[in-house]
């Protein structure tokens, strides 16, 4: 659907651009405005699409949000779940929890449906608080980065050893791979422009990889917390 929207926009953009070019050669200022608008729309579309397809740890049936929901249903204590949503959304979750407890009494099938509806409601509200799109609950066993379950396991065991090794190994492998590619293409013939461009491509990817690693290691993660507000 989103691909169709983007393609339709591009088609109409070029039709309009062609029309402008046919009128006295086209006004350069208007052309620039149209080009800027085109680029902005494409960027916004890609960001939106990324949010739509990203699979988050919290979206899975074995993730921490659903685990908290199950704990609340088992104990009757909604507080296990409330920590995963913003304060402004508490009443929505409390109402959903109350209804879920009532429906669960109607039988096993009703209980399963009510529980799943409660899980989806909480995860949707949680994702909304992160500013991320909700695309449905993912089944248990959804393929996530190995670092994610290792990160959860570290909290349970009190040891970072496993997740640290996974991350350090991945960083070292990526760094050495990019570095090797740059060094392999470094001594190109300066009269060979194609080979020179291959070096530049490898160099840019290498430097950007290093830059992303450093930024991710030093930046404050966003998503669940902004100042004192819990997401």
């Amino acid at each position: 659907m989103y691909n169709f929207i983007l393609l339709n926009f591009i088609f109409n953009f070029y039709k309009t651009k062609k029309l402008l070019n046919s009128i006295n050669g086209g006004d350069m200022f208007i052309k620039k405005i149209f080009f800027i608008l085109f680029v902005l729309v494409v960027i916004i579309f890609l960001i939106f699409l990324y949010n739509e397809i990203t699979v988050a740890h919290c979206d899975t049936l074995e993730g921490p949000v659903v685990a908290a929901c199950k704990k609340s249903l088992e104990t009757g204590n909604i507080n296990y779940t409330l920590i995963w949503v913003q304060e402004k959304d508490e009443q929505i979750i409390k109402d959903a929890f109350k209804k879920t407890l009532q429906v669960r009494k109607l039988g096993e099938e009703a209980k399963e449906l009510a529980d799943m509806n409660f899980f989806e409601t909480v995860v949707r509200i949680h994702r909304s608080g992160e500013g991320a799109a909700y695309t449905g609950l993912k089944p248990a066993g959804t393929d996530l980065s190995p670092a994610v379950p290792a990160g959860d396991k570290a909290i349970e065991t009190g040891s970072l050893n496993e997740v640290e090794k996974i991350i350090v190994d991945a960083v070292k492998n990526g760094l050495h791979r990019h570095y090797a590619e740059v060094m392999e293409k470094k001594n190109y013939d300066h009269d060979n422009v194609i080979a020179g461009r291959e070096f530049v491509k490898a160099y840019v990817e290498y430097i950007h990889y290093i830059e992303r690693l450093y930024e991710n290691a030093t930046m404050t993660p966003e998503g669940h917390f902004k100042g004192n507000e819990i997401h």
Side-chain angles (χ1 to χ4, degrees):
M1 176 178 142
Y2 301 113
N3 289 339
F4 173 77
I5 293 172
L6 179 61
L7 289 173
N8 189 53
F9 173 80
I10 293 173
F11 174 73
N12 285 296
F13 168 80
Y14 276 107
K15 278 179 62 179
T16 306
K17 188 168 182 263
K18 187 176 180 181
L19 177 63
L20 286 173
N21 287 336
S22 67
I23 302 174
N24 298 324
D27 186 282
M28 287 303 297
F29 176 75
I30 295 178
K31 286 181 183 178
K32 288 180 180 178
I33 293 297
F34 264 78
F35 179 75
I36 291 171
L37 288 173
F38 172 73
V39 171
L40 287 174
V41 169
V42 171
I43 291 173
I44 292 170
F45 172 83
L46 290 175
I47 292 173
F48 180 76
L49 183 61
Y50 175 80
N51 283 333
E52 283 289 316
I53 64 176
T54 297
V55 177
H57 183 35
C58 298
D59 277 356
T60 67
L61 279 170
E62 57 189 357
V65 179
V66 171
C69 291
K70 290 179 179 178
K71 188 72 172 178
S72 288
L73 292 171
E74 290 170 5
T75 63
N77 188 346
I78 187 61
N79 290 333
Y80 288 106
T81 299
L82 291 182
I83 64 172
W84 291 97
V85 300
Q86 296 182 27
E87 185 177 354
K88 67 182 180 65
D89 296 319
E90 279 189 9
Q91 195 56 51
I92 298 175
I93 303 304
K94 287 178 179 178
D95 291 343
F97 183 65
K98 184 178 179 179
K99 291 177 182 177
T100 302
L101 292 179
Q102 292 173 345
V103 174
R104 289 177 112 227
K105 299 174 183 177
L106 301 179
E108 192 60 33
E109 185 176 347
K111 177 183 174 182
E112 290 180 7
L113 291 173
D115 287 1
M116 185 59 68
N117 182 69
F118 182 60
F119 300 159
E120 291 183 343
T121 298
V122 176
V123 172
R124 175 174 54 80
I125 297 296
H126 169 76
R127 292 286 284 165
S128 175
E130 292 182 313
Y134 172 67
T135 56
L137 280 174
K138 309 303 182 295
T142 297
D143 187 21
L144 298 169
S145 158
V148 174
D152 280 340
K153 185 178 178 181
I155 297 173
E156 297 173 7
T157 63
S159 172
L160 271 173
N161 290 342
E162 182 180 350
V163 67
E164 182 179 355
K165 185 179 186 305
I166 290 172
I167 292 174
V168 170
D169 286 351
V171 169
K172 285 176 66 176
N173 290 338
L175 188 59
H176 283 274
R177 184 179 70 253
H178 284 291
Y179 178 73
E181 189 169 353
V182 170
M183 295 306 291
E184 179 186 345
K185 298 178 179 180
K186 175 184 176 183
N187 297 316
Y188 63 92
D189 182 350
H190 290 282
D191 290 326
N192 188 337
V193 175
I194 294 177
R197 286 173 179 156
E198 289 179 355
F199 164 73
V200 169
K201 180 176 181 294
Y203 169 79
V204 169
E205 290 176 354
Y206 165 68
I207 292 299
H208 284 182
Y209 181 75
I210 293 173
E211 183 180 27
R212 286 196 304 271
L213 285 177
Y214 183 78
E215 287 179 352
N216 287 335
T218 57
M219 70 187 295
T220 301
E222 296 181 359
H224 292 288
F225 296 95
K226 281 187 180 178
N228 294 324
E229 185 178 40
I230 297 178
H231 286 218

